[in-house]
């Protein structure tokens, strides 16, 4: 079982819809990252969380440390939001700042 | 925001040649840089952790003599794929961790390597 599980694996939405991508992890962590990767492209860091909630534009990320769960929300989705969204955690034991990655969620937003 | 660059962004080479990929943190110092490989439709796989001024730490299964890593300064790490073969064709991505004990990491745009 992967230490980091994302759901759903694939998500198709219509422009304007509210989108939620979930990430669950099984180990204690120091930090959780949400990353975005467009097809054929590099990785963009969206958020780094250790507690609570962060907002940037139409993106909101939340984390519940006790439940070992994080969500990434996109409000008023747009076709340019189409990308793979990756959750990554930094375990708080012996990781030397290495990240453990989820398999990603492929989001397609149709016009 | 902080920027990490990689050079080249793509490279095509013949089998048996060596290819060097650079990873630079442009506006911050990075104590640690990480090198990842990503095959199509798969997640990132950590290859090695590179600390400035010391030898890189390689993940299990990654050949250190084939993937040479040099981290000569707080802003530059290089990955050299020696005697490249078609199976080394992949997307190579680096990330740089902010110096000073921070969890903040910034990712580079990646380098697409194609070995013919």
């Amino acid at each position: 079982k992967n230490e980091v599980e994302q759901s759903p694996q694939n998500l198709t939405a219509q422009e304007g819809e509210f989108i939620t991508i979930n990430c669950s992890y099984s180990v204690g962590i120091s930090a959780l990252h949400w990353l975005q990767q467009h097809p054929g492209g590099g990785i963009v860091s969206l958020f780094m969380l250790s507690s609570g909630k962060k907002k940037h534009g139409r993106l909101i990320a939340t984390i519940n440390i006790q439940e070992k769960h994080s969500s990434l929300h996109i409000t008023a989705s747009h076709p340019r939001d189409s990308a793979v969204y990756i959750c990554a955690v930094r375990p708080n034991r012996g990781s030397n700042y290495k990240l453990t990655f989820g398999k990603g969620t492929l989001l397609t937003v149709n016009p | 925001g902080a920027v990490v660059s990689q050079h080249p962004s793509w490279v095509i080479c013949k089998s048996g040649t060596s290819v060097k990929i650079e990873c630079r943190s442009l506006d911050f110092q990075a104590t640690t840089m990480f090198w990842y490989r990503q095959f199509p439709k798969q997640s990132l796989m950590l290859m090695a952790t590179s600390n400035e001024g010391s030898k890189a730490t390689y993940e299990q299964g990654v050949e250190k003599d084939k993937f040479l890593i040099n981290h000569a300064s707080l802003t530059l790490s290089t990955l050299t794929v020696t005697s490249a073969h078609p199976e080394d064709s992949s997307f190579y991505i680096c990330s740089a961790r902010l110096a000073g004990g921070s969890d903040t990491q910034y990712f580079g745009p990646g380098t697409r390597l194609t070995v013919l």
Side-chain angles (χ1 to χ4, degrees), chain B:
Chain B
V3 176
V4 174
S5 71
Q6 282 186 239
H7 178 79
S9 55
W10 60 271
V11 56
I12 301 172
C13 69
K14 291 183 179 179
S15 186
T17 60
S18 294
V19 175
K20 180 188 282 189
I21 303 170
E22 292 185 349
C23 176
R24 291 182 187 272
S25 56
L26 296 185
D27 52 0
F28 66 98
Q29 292 187 329
T31 313
T32 306
M33 290 184 175
F34 301 91
W35 286 98
Y36 301 91
R37 183 166 49 183
Q38 185 181 36
F39 293 106
K41 300 196 175 185
Q42 294 190 21
S43 191
L44 283 76
M45 288 177 45
L46 180 65
M47 299 174 67
T49 303
S50 166
N51 290 299
E52 185 264 339
S54 63
K55 289 184 180 179
T57 303
Y58 290 82
E59 294 300 298
Q60 197 170 12
V62 178
E63 299 174 58
K64 62 180 180 181
D65 293 331
K66 179 167 183 62
F67 299 100
L68 301 178
I69 291 173
N70 183 277
H71 193 157
S73 77
L74 286 171
T75 59
L76 173 64
S77 176
T78 60
L79 167 69
T80 301
V81 183
T82 62
S83 187
H85 286 91
E87 58 265 29
D88 299 323
S89 298
S90 188
F91 194 50
Y92 291 86
I93 301 170
C94 73
S95 72
R97 184 176 71 85
L98 209 59
S102 171
D103 264 303
T104 304
Q105 288 190 34
Y106 299 99
F107 286 80
T111 296
R112 174 81 54 196
L113 170 63
T114 303
V115 185
L116 302 176

